[in-house]
mmCIF file of all heavy atoms in Angstrom:
data_model
loop_
_atom_site.group_PDB
_atom_site.id
_atom_site.type_symbol
_atom_site.label_atom_id
_atom_site.label_comp_id
_atom_site.label_asym_id
_atom_site.label_seq_id
_atom_site.Cartn_x
_atom_site.Cartn_y
_atom_site.Cartn_z
ATOM 1 N N THR A 1 34.202 149.076 -113.297
ATOM 2 C CA THR A 1 35.238 148.861 -114.312
ATOM 3 C C THR A 1 35.777 147.447 -114.192
ATOM 4 O O THR A 1 36.355 147.090 -113.154
ATOM 5 C CB THR A 1 36.400 149.855 -114.130
ATOM 6 O OG1 THR A 1 35.892 151.192 -114.207
ATOM 7 C CG2 THR A 1 37.471 149.643 -115.195
ATOM 8 N N PRO A 2 35.606 146.615 -115.225
ATOM 9 C CA PRO A 2 36.198 145.273 -115.180
ATOM 10 C C PRO A 2 37.713 145.357 -115.302
ATOM 11 O O PRO A 2 38.241 146.068 -116.172
ATOM 12 C CB PRO A 2 35.592 144.571 -116.410
ATOM 13 C CG PRO A 2 34.487 145.461 -116.899
ATOM 14 C CD PRO A 2 34.829 146.840 -116.459
ATOM 15 N N VAL A 3 38.407 144.675 -114.421
ATOM 16 C CA VAL A 3 39.870 144.588 -114.480
ATOM 17 C C VAL A 3 40.215 143.130 -114.756
ATOM 18 O O VAL A 3 40.046 142.261 -113.896
ATOM 19 C CB VAL A 3 40.512 145.053 -113.159
ATOM 20 C CG1 VAL A 3 42.029 144.856 -113.208
ATOM 21 C CG2 VAL A 3 40.173 146.520 -112.892
ATOM 22 N N VAL A 4 40.678 142.873 -115.963
ATOM 23 C CA VAL A 4 40.919 141.504 -116.404
ATOM 24 C C VAL A 4 42.324 141.070 -116.015
ATOM 25 O O VAL A 4 43.311 141.711 -116.381
ATOM 26 C CB VAL A 4 40.721 141.386 -117.929
ATOM 27 C CG1 VAL A 4 41.120 140.000 -118.412
ATOM 28 C CG2 VAL A 4 39.268 141.680 -118.290
ATOM 29 N N VAL A 5 42.397 139.983 -115.250
ATOM 30 C CA VAL A 5 43.687 139.370 -114.905
ATOM 31 C C VAL A 5 43.728 138.040 -115.633
ATOM 32 O O VAL A 5 42.971 137.127 -115.318
ATOM 33 C CB VAL A 5 43.836 139.172 -113.387
ATOM 34 C CG1 VAL A 5 45.149 138.477 -113.072
ATOM 35 C CG2 VAL A 5 43.754 140.511 -112.677
ATOM 36 N N LYS A 6 44.626 137.958 -116.599
ATOM 37 C CA LYS A 6 44.575 136.818 -117.514
ATOM 38 C C LYS A 6 45.605 135.746 -117.183
ATOM 39 O O LYS A 6 46.755 136.033 -116.842
ATOM 40 C CB LYS A 6 44.785 137.296 -118.951
ATOM 41 C CG LYS A 6 44.643 136.178 -119.971
ATOM 42 C CD LYS A 6 44.698 136.689 -121.395
ATOM 43 C CE LYS A 6 44.591 135.523 -122.365
ATOM 44 N NZ LYS A 6 44.624 135.954 -123.774
ATOM 45 N N ALA A 7 45.159 134.502 -117.315
ATOM 46 C CA ALA A 7 46.057 133.347 -117.232
ATOM 47 C C ALA A 7 45.905 132.561 -118.523
ATOM 48 O O ALA A 7 44.786 132.228 -118.923
ATOM 49 C CB ALA A 7 45.696 132.477 -116.043
ATOM 50 N N GLY A 8 47.014 132.291 -119.175
ATOM 51 C CA GLY A 8 46.981 131.568 -120.438
ATOM 52 C C GLY A 8 47.008 130.064 -120.249
ATOM 53 O O GLY A 8 47.013 129.551 -119.124
ATOM 54 N N ILE A 9 47.078 129.375 -121.372
ATOM 55 C CA ILE A 9 47.064 127.911 -121.330
ATOM 56 C C ILE A 9 48.296 127.365 -120.603
ATOM 57 O O ILE A 9 48.249 126.284 -120.006
ATOM 58 C CB ILE A 9 46.949 127.339 -122.761
ATOM 59 C CG1 ILE A 9 46.534 125.865 -122.717
ATOM 60 C CG2 ILE A 9 48.242 127.539 -123.550
ATOM 61 C CD1 ILE A 9 46.131 125.308 -124.079
ATOM 62 N N ASP A 10 49.390 128.143 -120.583
ATOM 63 C CA ASP A 10 50.599 127.715 -119.883
ATOM 64 C C ASP A 10 50.396 127.668 -118.375
ATOM 65 O O ASP A 10 51.138 126.986 -117.656
ATOM 66 C CB ASP A 10 51.770 128.657 -120.225
ATOM 67 C CG ASP A 10 51.472 130.104 -119.879
ATOM 68 O OD1 ASP A 10 50.357 130.565 -120.194
ATOM 69 O OD2 ASP A 10 52.337 130.770 -119.294
ATOM 70 N N GLN A 11 49.383 128.401 -117.868
ATOM 71 C CA GLN A 11 49.019 128.365 -116.446
ATOM 72 C C GLN A 11 47.762 127.539 -116.227
ATOM 73 O O GLN A 11 47.148 127.615 -115.158
ATOM 74 C CB GLN A 11 48.771 129.783 -115.919
ATOM 75 C CG GLN A 11 50.001 130.668 -115.855
ATOM 76 C CD GLN A 11 49.661 132.079 -115.370
ATOM 77 O OE1 GLN A 11 50.062 133.071 -115.975
ATOM 78 N NE2 GLN A 11 48.908 132.188 -114.280
ATOM 79 N N ASP A 12 47.377 126.780 -117.217
ATOM 80 C CA ASP A 12 46.130 126.015 -117.161
ATOM 81 C C ASP A 12 44.946 126.949 -116.934
ATOM 82 O O ASP A 12 43.952 126.581 -116.315
ATOM 83 C CB ASP A 12 46.199 124.938 -116.073
ATOM 84 C CG ASP A 12 45.242 123.786 -116.343
ATOM 85 O OD1 ASP A 12 44.894 123.564 -117.512
ATOM 86 O OD2 ASP A 12 44.824 123.117 -115.380
ATOM 87 N N PHE A 13 45.096 128.186 -117.416
ATOM 88 C CA PHE A 13 44.047 129.207 -117.363
ATOM 89 C C PHE A 13 43.658 129.603 -115.934
ATOM 90 O O PHE A 13 42.538 130.046 -115.697
ATOM 91 C CB PHE A 13 42.798 128.751 -118.131
ATOM 92 C CG PHE A 13 43.034 128.436 -119.582
ATOM 93 C CD1 PHE A 13 42.886 127.143 -120.051
ATOM 94 C CD2 PHE A 13 43.395 129.430 -120.478
ATOM 95 C CE1 PHE A 13 43.081 126.839 -121.397
ATOM 96 C CE2 PHE A 13 43.591 129.149 -121.832
ATOM 97 C CZ PHE A 13 43.440 127.843 -122.286
ATOM 98 N N LYS A 14 44.584 129.463 -114.961
ATOM 99 C CA LYS A 14 44.285 129.827 -113.574
ATOM 100 C C LYS A 14 45.227 130.928 -113.113
ATOM 101 O O LYS A 14 46.446 130.791 -113.219
ATOM 102 C CB LYS A 14 44.417 128.590 -112.668
ATOM 103 C CG LYS A 14 43.378 127.511 -112.956
ATOM 104 C CD LYS A 14 43.499 126.328 -112.011
ATOM 105 C CE LYS A 14 44.649 125.412 -112.367
ATOM 106 N NZ LYS A 14 44.636 124.166 -111.555
ATOM 107 N N ILE A 15 44.670 132.009 -112.570
ATOM 108 C CA ILE A 15 45.519 133.096 -112.090
ATOM 109 C C ILE A 15 46.180 132.670 -110.777
ATOM 110 O O ILE A 15 45.691 131.788 -110.071
ATOM 111 C CB ILE A 15 44.735 134.408 -111.897
ATOM 112 C CG1 ILE A 15 43.744 134.308 -110.722
ATOM 113 C CG2 ILE A 15 44.014 134.805 -113.177
ATOM 114 C CD1 ILE A 15 43.169 135.653 -110.288
ATOM 115 N N ASN A 16 47.298 133.325 -110.459
ATOM 116 C CA ASN A 16 47.995 133.010 -109.205
ATOM 117 C C ASN A 16 47.943 134.197 -108.244
ATOM 118 O O ASN A 16 47.471 135.288 -108.588
ATOM 119 C CB ASN A 16 49.434 132.571 -109.476
ATOM 120 C CG ASN A 16 50.239 133.622 -110.232
ATOM 121 O OD1 ASN A 16 50.137 134.819 -109.946
ATOM 122 N ND2 ASN A 16 51.047 133.183 -111.196
ATOM 123 N N ALA A 17 48.429 133.968 -107.059
ATOM 124 C CA ALA A 17 48.352 134.975 -106.003
ATOM 125 C C ALA A 17 49.102 136.256 -106.364
ATOM 126 O O ALA A 17 48.637 137.367 -106.065
ATOM 127 C CB ALA A 17 48.894 134.397 -104.698
ATOM 128 N N ALA A 18 50.256 136.116 -107.021
ATOM 129 C CA ALA A 18 51.040 137.297 -107.391
ATOM 130 C C ALA A 18 50.275 138.172 -108.385
ATOM 131 O O ALA A 18 50.281 139.410 -108.273
ATOM 132 C CB ALA A 18 52.380 136.867 -107.977
ATOM 133 N N GLN A 19 49.607 137.528 -109.345
ATOM 134 C CA GLN A 19 48.808 138.293 -110.312
ATOM 135 C C GLN A 19 47.656 139.012 -109.626
ATOM 136 O O GLN A 19 47.358 140.173 -109.930
ATOM 137 C CB GLN A 19 48.246 137.357 -111.382
ATOM 138 C CG GLN A 19 49.268 136.817 -112.370
ATOM 139 C CD GLN A 19 48.616 135.862 -113.359
ATOM 140 O OE1 GLN A 19 48.192 134.773 -112.980
ATOM 141 N NE2 GLN A 19 48.523 136.268 -114.605
ATOM 142 N N LEU A 20 46.999 138.320 -108.703
ATOM 143 C CA LEU A 20 45.882 138.929 -107.984
ATOM 144 C C LEU A 20 46.353 140.127 -107.170
ATOM 145 O O LEU A 20 45.761 141.214 -107.229
ATOM 146 C CB LEU A 20 45.230 137.888 -107.071
ATOM 147 C CG LEU A 20 44.109 138.385 -106.160
ATOM 148 C CD1 LEU A 20 42.964 138.971 -106.970
ATOM 149 C CD2 LEU A 20 43.607 137.257 -105.266
ATOM 150 N N GLU A 21 47.430 139.953 -106.437
ATOM 151 C CA GLU A 21 47.959 141.037 -105.603
ATOM 152 C C GLU A 21 48.310 142.254 -106.453
ATOM 153 O O GLU A 21 48.019 143.399 -106.078
ATOM 154 C CB GLU A 21 49.198 140.551 -104.845
ATOM 155 C CG GLU A 21 49.780 141.552 -103.871
ATOM 156 C CD GLU A 21 48.986 141.659 -102.580
ATOM 157 O OE1 GLU A 21 49.115 140.781 -101.712
ATOM 158 O OE2 GLU A 21 48.242 142.652 -102.456
ATOM 159 N N ALA A 22 48.915 142.001 -107.611
ATOM 160 C CA ALA A 22 49.343 143.101 -108.482
ATOM 161 C C ALA A 22 48.166 143.881 -109.060
ATOM 162 O O ALA A 22 48.307 145.059 -109.407
ATOM 163 C CB ALA A 22 50.210 142.556 -109.614
ATOM 164 N N ALA A 23 47.006 143.240 -109.168
ATOM 165 C CA ALA A 23 45.842 143.884 -109.785
ATOM 166 C C ALA A 23 45.032 144.711 -108.796
ATOM 167 O O ALA A 23 44.192 145.525 -109.199
ATOM 168 C CB ALA A 23 44.944 142.825 -110.416
ATOM 169 N N ILE A 24 45.272 144.532 -107.511
ATOM 170 C CA ILE A 24 44.487 145.235 -106.490
ATOM 171 C C ILE A 24 44.917 146.696 -106.398
ATOM 172 O O ILE A 24 46.108 147.009 -106.333
ATOM 173 C CB ILE A 24 44.630 144.531 -105.126
ATOM 174 C CG1 ILE A 24 43.954 143.157 -105.176
ATOM 175 C CG2 ILE A 24 44.040 145.379 -104.010
ATOM 176 C CD1 ILE A 24 44.188 142.310 -103.938
ATOM 177 N N THR A 25 43.920 147.587 -106.404
ATOM 178 C CA THR A 25 44.148 149.025 -106.248
ATOM 179 C C THR A 25 43.186 149.542 -105.177
ATOM 180 O O THR A 25 42.298 148.810 -104.719
ATOM 181 C CB THR A 25 43.890 149.787 -107.565
ATOM 182 O OG1 THR A 25 42.464 149.893 -107.766
ATOM 183 C CG2 THR A 25 44.531 149.097 -108.756
ATOM 184 N N PRO A 26 43.324 150.796 -104.774
ATOM 185 C CA PRO A 26 42.366 151.362 -103.818
ATOM 186 C C PRO A 26 40.920 151.344 -104.324
ATOM 187 O O PRO A 26 39.982 151.461 -103.524
ATOM 188 C CB PRO A 26 42.870 152.798 -103.624
ATOM 189 C CG PRO A 26 44.343 152.719 -103.901
ATOM 190 C CD PRO A 26 44.464 151.718 -105.008
ATOM 191 N N LYS A 27 40.739 151.171 -105.635
ATOM 192 C CA LYS A 27 39.388 151.161 -106.207
ATOM 193 C C LYS A 27 38.780 149.756 -106.283
ATOM 194 O O LYS A 27 37.611 149.599 -106.650
ATOM 195 C CB LYS A 27 39.406 151.768 -107.612
ATOM 196 C CG LYS A 27 39.728 153.245 -107.657
ATOM 197 C CD LYS A 27 39.657 153.770 -109.087
ATOM 198 C CE LYS A 27 39.947 155.266 -109.135
ATOM 199 N NZ LYS A 27 39.871 155.773 -110.542
ATOM 200 N N THR A 28 39.557 148.737 -105.949
ATOM 201 C CA THR A 28 39.067 147.360 -106.085
ATOM 202 C C THR A 28 37.952 147.084 -105.079
ATOM 203 O O THR A 28 38.135 147.248 -103.883
ATOM 204 C CB THR A 28 40.207 146.347 -105.866
ATOM 205 O OG1 THR A 28 41.269 146.618 -106.777
ATOM 206 C CG2 THR A 28 39.699 144.928 -106.100
ATOM 207 N N LYS A 29 36.810 146.648 -105.583
ATOM 208 C CA LYS A 29 35.668 146.347 -104.727
ATOM 209 C C LYS A 29 35.400 144.852 -104.615
ATOM 210 O O LYS A 29 34.907 144.367 -103.596
ATOM 211 C CB LYS A 29 34.413 147.038 -105.272
ATOM 212 C CG LYS A 29 33.201 146.988 -104.345
ATOM 213 C CD LYS A 29 33.503 147.687 -103.031
ATOM 214 C CE LYS A 29 32.284 147.808 -102.126
ATOM 215 N NZ LYS A 29 31.348 148.853 -102.570
ATOM 216 N N ALA A 30 35.708 144.113 -105.681
ATOM 217 C CA ALA A 30 35.379 142.686 -105.678
ATOM 218 C C ALA A 30 36.279 141.929 -106.637
ATOM 219 O O ALA A 30 36.918 142.512 -107.517
ATOM 220 C CB ALA A 30 33.913 142.461 -106.035
ATOM 221 N N VAL A 31 36.304 140.610 -106.420
ATOM 222 C CA VAL A 31 36.989 139.668 -107.313
ATOM 223 C C VAL A 31 35.972 138.597 -107.683
ATOM 224 O O VAL A 31 35.242 138.099 -106.814
ATOM 225 C CB VAL A 31 38.199 139.009 -106.622
ATOM 226 C CG1 VAL A 31 38.855 137.979 -107.546
ATOM 227 C CG2 VAL A 31 39.205 140.057 -106.190
ATOM 228 N N MET A 32 35.914 138.240 -108.961
ATOM 229 C CA MET A 32 35.008 137.179 -109.405
ATOM 230 C C MET A 32 35.829 136.000 -109.917
ATOM 231 O O MET A 32 36.698 136.157 -110.787
ATOM 232 C CB MET A 32 34.074 137.684 -110.509
ATOM 233 C CG MET A 32 33.171 138.817 -110.070
ATOM 234 S SD MET A 32 32.046 139.414 -111.372
ATOM 235 C CE MET A 32 30.811 138.100 -111.396
ATOM 236 N N ILE A 33 35.564 134.818 -109.328
ATOM 237 C CA ILE A 33 36.242 133.608 -109.772
ATOM 238 C C ILE A 33 35.196 132.532 -110.046
ATOM 239 O O ILE A 33 34.087 132.578 -109.513
ATOM 240 C CB ILE A 33 37.277 133.096 -108.747
ATOM 241 C CG1 ILE A 33 36.594 132.709 -107.431
ATOM 242 C CG2 ILE A 33 38.374 134.119 -108.512
ATOM 243 C CD1 ILE A 33 37.530 132.033 -106.451
ATOM 244 N N CYS A 34 35.576 131.569 -110.879
ATOM 245 C CA CYS A 34 34.667 130.482 -111.239
ATOM 246 C C CYS A 34 35.464 129.184 -111.304
ATOM 247 O O CYS A 34 36.404 129.073 -112.087
ATOM 248 C CB CYS A 34 34.022 130.763 -112.596
ATOM 249 S SG CYS A 34 32.864 129.505 -113.179
ATOM 250 N N SER A 35 35.099 128.244 -110.460
ATOM 251 C CA SER A 35 35.786 126.947 -110.432
ATOM 252 C C SER A 35 34.800 125.857 -110.046
ATOM 253 O O SER A 35 34.152 125.967 -109.001
ATOM 254 C CB SER A 35 36.945 126.979 -109.427
ATOM 255 O OG SER A 35 37.605 125.734 -109.349
ATOM 256 N N PRO A 36 34.673 124.836 -110.900
ATOM 257 C CA PRO A 36 35.215 124.660 -112.244
ATOM 258 C C PRO A 36 34.773 125.795 -113.172
ATOM 259 O O PRO A 36 33.718 126.378 -112.976
ATOM 260 C CB PRO A 36 34.630 123.314 -112.697
ATOM 261 C CG PRO A 36 34.357 122.571 -111.424
ATOM 262 C CD PRO A 36 33.916 123.628 -110.460
ATOM 263 N N SER A 37 35.608 126.053 -114.155
ATOM 264 C CA SER A 37 35.470 127.273 -114.943
ATOM 265 C C SER A 37 34.709 127.101 -116.253
ATOM 266 O O SER A 37 34.893 126.142 -116.979
ATOM 267 C CB SER A 37 36.866 127.820 -115.272
ATOM 268 O OG SER A 37 36.807 128.793 -116.295
ATOM 269 N N ASN A 38 33.886 128.072 -116.526
ATOM 270 C CA ASN A 38 33.389 128.356 -117.873
ATOM 271 C C ASN A 38 34.155 129.599 -118.307
ATOM 272 O O ASN A 38 34.047 130.633 -117.634
ATOM 273 C CB ASN A 38 31.883 128.643 -117.822
ATOM 274 C CG ASN A 38 31.306 129.036 -119.167
ATOM 275 O OD1 ASN A 38 31.980 129.002 -120.184
ATOM 276 N ND2 ASN A 38 30.041 129.429 -119.163
ATOM 277 N N PRO A 39 35.005 129.528 -119.330
ATOM 278 C CA PRO A 39 34.953 128.605 -120.470
ATOM 279 C C PRO A 39 36.036 127.529 -120.511
ATOM 280 O O PRO A 39 36.077 126.757 -121.467
ATOM 281 C CB PRO A 39 35.197 129.563 -121.634
ATOM 282 C CG PRO A 39 36.226 130.517 -121.082
ATOM 283 C CD PRO A 39 35.845 130.720 -119.639
ATOM 284 N N THR A 40 36.919 127.474 -119.526
ATOM 285 C CA THR A 40 38.134 126.666 -119.711
ATOM 286 C C THR A 40 38.044 125.252 -119.162
ATOM 287 O O THR A 40 38.838 124.387 -119.543
ATOM 288 C CB THR A 40 39.329 127.351 -119.028
ATOM 289 O OG1 THR A 40 39.134 127.325 -117.604
ATOM 290 C CG2 THR A 40 39.480 128.799 -119.494
ATOM 291 N N GLY A 41 37.130 125.007 -118.223
ATOM 292 C CA GLY A 41 37.090 123.713 -117.549
ATOM 293 C C GLY A 41 38.154 123.560 -116.485
ATOM 294 O O GLY A 41 38.278 122.499 -115.865
ATOM 295 N N SER A 42 38.923 124.607 -116.228
ATOM 296 C CA SER A 42 39.980 124.533 -115.223
ATOM 297 C C SER A 42 39.374 124.519 -113.818
ATOM 298 O O SER A 42 38.325 125.110 -113.569
ATOM 299 C CB SER A 42 40.936 125.715 -115.349
ATOM 300 O OG SER A 42 41.620 125.657 -116.582
ATOM 301 N N VAL A 43 40.054 123.849 -112.895
ATOM 302 C CA VAL A 43 39.593 123.717 -111.518
ATOM 303 C C VAL A 43 40.720 124.136 -110.580
ATOM 304 O O VAL A 43 41.840 123.628 -110.669
ATOM 305 C CB VAL A 43 39.169 122.258 -111.217
ATOM 306 C CG1 VAL A 43 38.733 122.123 -109.761
ATOM 307 C CG2 VAL A 43 38.054 121.812 -112.161
ATOM 308 N N TYR A 44 40.415 125.071 -109.688
ATOM 309 C CA TYR A 44 41.413 125.497 -108.700
ATOM 310 C C TYR A 44 41.536 124.446 -107.600
ATOM 311 O O TYR A 44 40.529 123.989 -107.057
ATOM 312 C CB TYR A 44 41.021 126.841 -108.087
ATOM 313 C CG TYR A 44 41.279 128.029 -108.977
ATOM 314 C CD1 TYR A 44 40.341 128.424 -109.939
ATOM 315 C CD2 TYR A 44 42.454 128.764 -108.876
ATOM 316 C CE1 TYR A 44 40.566 129.519 -110.756
ATOM 317 C CE2 TYR A 44 42.697 129.863 -109.688
ATOM 318 C CZ TYR A 44 41.751 130.237 -110.637
ATOM 319 O OH TYR A 44 41.977 131.313 -111.454
ATOM 320 N N SER A 45 42.765 124.079 -107.274
ATOM 321 C CA SER A 45 43.007 123.135 -106.183
ATOM 322 C C SER A 45 42.864 123.859 -104.848
ATOM 323 O O SER A 45 42.822 125.096 -104.781
ATOM 324 C CB SER A 45 44.417 122.558 -106.302
ATOM 325 O OG SER A 45 45.383 123.579 -106.045
ATOM 326 N N LYS A 46 42.830 123.084 -103.774
ATOM 327 C CA LYS A 46 42.756 123.670 -102.435
ATOM 328 C C LYS A 46 43.952 124.576 -102.185
ATOM 329 O O LYS A 46 43.812 125.670 -101.612
ATOM 330 C CB LYS A 46 42.698 122.565 -101.386
ATOM 331 C CG LYS A 46 42.591 123.083 -99.958
ATOM 332 C CD LYS A 46 42.431 121.940 -98.960
ATOM 333 C CE LYS A 46 42.285 122.478 -97.544
ATOM 334 N NZ LYS A 46 42.057 121.393 -96.555
ATOM 335 N N GLU A 47 45.122 124.143 -102.610
ATOM 336 C CA GLU A 47 46.345 124.937 -102.400
ATOM 337 C C GLU A 47 46.296 126.246 -103.191
ATOM 338 O O GLU A 47 46.708 127.304 -102.677
ATOM 339 C CB GLU A 47 47.563 124.117 -102.814
ATOM 340 C CG GLU A 47 47.853 122.905 -101.940
ATOM 341 C CD GLU A 47 46.855 121.761 -102.118
ATOM 342 O OE1 GLU A 47 46.246 121.666 -103.226
ATOM 343 O OE2 GLU A 47 46.665 120.972 -101.170
ATOM 344 N N GLU A 48 45.800 126.186 -104.404
ATOM 345 C CA GLU A 48 45.695 127.402 -105.224
ATOM 346 C C GLU A 48 44.691 128.378 -104.625
ATOM 347 O O GLU A 48 44.941 129.593 -104.579
ATOM 348 C CB GLU A 48 45.305 127.028 -106.655
ATOM 349 C CG GLU A 48 46.436 126.338 -107.419
ATOM 350 C CD GLU A 48 45.973 125.629 -108.671
ATOM 351 O OE1 GLU A 48 44.765 125.285 -108.777
ATOM 352 O OE2 GLU A 48 46.814 125.407 -109.564
#
C-alpha cells in the first residue's frame, strides 16, 4: 500500500521529520526518497 506523504511548494517539495514520523505505522515496511528529485528538482541537504 503506497502511503503518500506530501510536501508542497511552500516546503520546496521536501518532507520533514515530523511528517515522516507521523506516517509510520506498525505496517510500514519501507520509505522511498529521491534526491535530487524527479519531478521537482528538489535536493535534500545534509541537515534535512
